Amino acid sequence: MSNIFDRIDARLATTLTPSRRLMLQRPRTLVLGFLGLHTVFLFALLPTILTGGVLGDLPLYRTWAELGLEHGVWQGIDTEWVYPIGAMLPIALAGIAGPCSTNCSGF
């Protein structure tokens, strides 16, 4: 495995000339690289995002709010919870608007 890294290091040493290294250290290059990488990821994930396949933590928060508002079981008070107890406030405030009616999986 070390041999592979040695080859990569040698290749980078010959490819990254001092002028190229200076170019990579500029803030503009960092910003452009950041934006480019995130654009690639956005376009790669866009089909999944648009079809509602990306849920994240939102269904979990919805369940916590419903448990507290409808059943009186509050996370962090009645059960163990790893978040700060103050984090339940925005979750409960969002739950006051009511349960999700039809399409709860996305937009």
Side-chain angles (χ1 to χ4, degrees):
M1 188 70 153
S2 177
N3 191 16
I4 294 171
F5 290 122
D6 290 340
R7 287 183 184 176
I8 292 171
D9 285 343
R11 184 84 164 209
L12 283 174
T14 58
T15 305
L16 292 177
T17 62
S19 62
R20 288 182 180 165
R21 286 183 183 164
L22 285 175
M23 183 190 72
L24 291 174
Q25 294 175 353
R26 293 183 183 149
R28 178 181 175 184
T29 307
L30 176 66
V31 170
L32 290 175
F34 177 86
L35 292 174
L37 182 66
H38 284 81
T39 301
V40 167
F41 273 103
L42 175 65
F43 282 113
L45 291 173
L46 202 55
T48 306
I49 293 169
L50 293 177
T51 58
V54 178
L55 297 177
D57 291 343
L58 295 181
L60 181 62
Y61 299 156
R62 183 180 301 113
T63 302
W64 289 343
E66 289 174 358
L67 280 173
L69 295 170
E70 295 176 12
H71 304 288
V73 178
W74 292 100
Q75 301 294 317
I77 298 171
D78 301 315
T79 63
E80 292 184 19
W81 205 39
V82 296
Y83 291 101
I85 195 65
M88 183 48 83
L89 183 63
I91 294 170
L93 289 175
I96 290 173
C100 184
S101 55
T102 55
N103 183 10
C104 297
S105 65
F107 297 95

